[in-house]
Amino acid sequence: ASEPGAGWADRGLWWGVAVGGGSTRLTCDLCRAGRDFGPSASVSVGAWAAPGLRVGLEGGGWSHDDEGTRESIYRAGLLAQLHPSDRGLFIHGGVGWSGYRAGDFHYDAGHLTVGAGWDLPLTGRWVVGNTVSVDAASFGSLRNEGRRVAGDVGLSVIRFAVHVRSERGGGA
């Protein structure tokens, strides 16, 4: 039997795409309570840093039509995925930037990401799986046409996605 992470060095670079749905809430004195639901997507690229540890960059977005106003969230950041065994389960976390846009309103802040997922070998170098992630940003200001309209704003996004990833990114 092979040990967890065996053969990690020959995996090299990886890339992936994920699509799914998300639930978002902007929290501030002016914001309405409740969560909005909409589609989400992301792309990621990186490399294996050690047996069971994948690191990379991830970017993505979420969108929702709120009574004729398009709400959008953009995000980018560093990502780490820890695979404790070769059975498919992984946990992930990261840091980065999130931006919210809705008409003339905008919000930008750093965020933290935590989550978990499951990988299933598909064929050759391809893997398919699912993930659940939570992105949380805080301490930013909501702005309207450049003017601050609310401080101490928080943003949370809960994402559920299906991903496809190339484990070797074109390698042997």
Side-chain angles (χ1 to χ4, degrees):
S2 66
E3 294 184 30
W8 70 274
D10 65 347
R11 294 183 184 177
L13 299 177
W14 58 268
W15 64 269
V17 296
V19 295
S23 166
T24 297
R25 180 170 184 192
L26 196 64
T27 307
C28 69
D29 292 338
L30 301 173
C31 304
R32 69 184 164 111
R35 301 191 75 82
D36 292 324
F37 298 89
S40 67
S42 65
V43 296
S44 55
V45 62
W48 286 90
L53 179 62
R54 179 192 332 259
V55 296
L57 301 172
E58 181 179 44
W62 169 91
S63 186
H64 171 76
D65 185 356
D66 189 10
E67 299 176 10
T69 300
R70 175 62 55 190
E71 292 180 285
S72 300
I73 295 176
Y74 307 98
R75 60 186 171 74
L78 301 172
L79 173 70
Q81 293 181 342
L82 179 62
H83 297 256
S85 74
D86 284 343
R87 295 185 188 252
L89 174 70
F90 64 88
I91 56 174
H92 65 253
V95 296
W97 162 87
S98 287
Y100 169 86
R101 305 292 183 267
D104 292 331
F105 290 91
H106 67 276
Y107 167 84
D108 294 287
H111 76 247
L112 296 175
T113 299
V114 295
W118 191 267
D119 284 338
L120 297 170
L122 191 58
T123 179
R125 68 181 189 217
W126 296 98
V127 173
V128 64
N130 56 16
T131 57
V132 59
S133 304
V134 177
D135 303 316
S138 193
F139 308 114
S141 295
L142 183 63
R143 299 186 175 278
N144 184 356
E145 297 180 353
R147 289 191 337 259
R148 182 177 182 223
V149 294
D152 296 328
V153 176
L155 174 68
S156 65
V157 181
I158 302 169
R159 297 179 282 126
F160 299 92
V162 172
H163 65 262
V164 175
R165 187 173 53 248
S166 172
E167 284 292 313
R168 287 181 275 237

